[in-house]
């Protein structure tokens, strides 16, 4: 009996020791679980923060590239000089000349202006622009060249012919006035295949060039002649050197004036014109002349 009791007591003690030894292990496991969860939570927070920051950085980088918001916009220096340093204007000489046109004057209003003369210069200019009138044998105009920038050297002004055909024989209109010219006198012989501006029979720009400071200029009074039975259209090309010595060209097209200055026609026989508007008896107006009257 005593021995059995002793065995039971021994088993009780062993059982208590096991239970006592089991509590710290459980507590340790719980502590490890808490620590691991905390570490994982911290790592997760760091990862989330890193991803969020990386996303913001990437987004900011893309935004900077697309909109360049972080970089101040580059301010262009003030543009002090115009792209083209020269201003070239062609001005027709005032006065009358024989005019021809490839069009006929048909409307009653236009015919009335030709017969009696337009009441204002503006009306006459409008009609001449409408029928694209040009002079016979000769056009007289001025070419005004002005430097609007840094110093330049004008080395040449060339006529560039764009059309050469038979002389116009549709409409001829006699003048009711005279002509005049001044400034640097130059001539242009359009009968030549490669015409040049000449002075006293020699090419003008091969003997000298025009050096222009800012605000300076010069004016050429041009007398362009065509004696043959042809019609010529052209424009001007101005060659110049800038302050660095680089060569440039400026094209000057036909100005929108009543009588074309960059086109001229030779004359045909009076009887060949479809319409011949000659001066009337008073000399103050015009009328259509028959072919018999033109002989």
């Amino acid at each position: 009996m005593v021995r059995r009791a002793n065995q039971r007591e021994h088993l009780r003690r062993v059982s208590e020791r096991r239970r006592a030894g089991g509590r710290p292990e459980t507590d340790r496991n719980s502590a490890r679980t808490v620590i691991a969860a905390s570490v994982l939570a911290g790592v997760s927070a760091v990862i989330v923060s890193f991803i969020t920051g990386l996303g913001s950085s990437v987004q900011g980088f893309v935004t900077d590239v697309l909109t360049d918001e972080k970089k101040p916009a580059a301010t262009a220096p003030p543009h002090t000089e115009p792209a083209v340093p020269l201003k070239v204007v062609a001005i027709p000489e005032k006065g009358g000349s024989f005019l021809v046109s490839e069009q006929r004057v048909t409307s009653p209003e236009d015919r009335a202006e030709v017969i009696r003369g337009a009441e204002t210069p503006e009306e006459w200019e409008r009609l001449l622009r409408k029928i694209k009138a040009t002079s016979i044998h000769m056009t007289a105009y001025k070419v005004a060249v002005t430097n609007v920038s840094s110093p330049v050297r004008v080395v040449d002004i060339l006529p560039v012919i764009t059309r050469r055909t038979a002389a116009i024989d549709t409409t001829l209109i006699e003048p009711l006035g005279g002509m005049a010219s001044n400034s640097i006198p130059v001539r242009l012989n359009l009968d030549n295949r490669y015409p040049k501006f000449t002075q006293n029979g020699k090419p003008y720009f091969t003997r000298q060039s025009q050096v222009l400071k800012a605000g300076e200029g010069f004016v050429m009074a041009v007398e362009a002649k065509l004696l043959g039975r042809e019609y010529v259209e052209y424009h001007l090309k101005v060659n110049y050197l800038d302050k660095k010595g680089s060569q440039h060209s400026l094209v000057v097209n036909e100005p929108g004036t009543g009588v074309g200055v960059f086109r001229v026609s030779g004359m045909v026989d009076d009887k060949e014109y479809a319409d011949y508007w000659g001066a009337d008896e008073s000399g103050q107006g015009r009328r259509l002349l028959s072919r018999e009257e033109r002989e």
Side-chain angles (χ1 to χ4, degrees), residues 4 37-38 74 102 106 119 177 196 261 267 278:
R4 189 177 298 169
S38 301
E102 294 178 294
T106 55
E119 294 181 358
K196 289 181 177 293
V261 296
M267 194 174 216

Side-chain angles (χ1 to χ4, degrees), residues 67-95:
T67 64
D68 201 21
E69 286 181 352
K70 289 190 176 181
K71 299 178 182 178
T75 357
H79 189 67
T80 55
E81 294 188 357
V84 180
L86 288 177
K87 180 179 180 181
V88 184
V89 181
I91 310 160
E93 289 281 12
K94 298 297 181 182

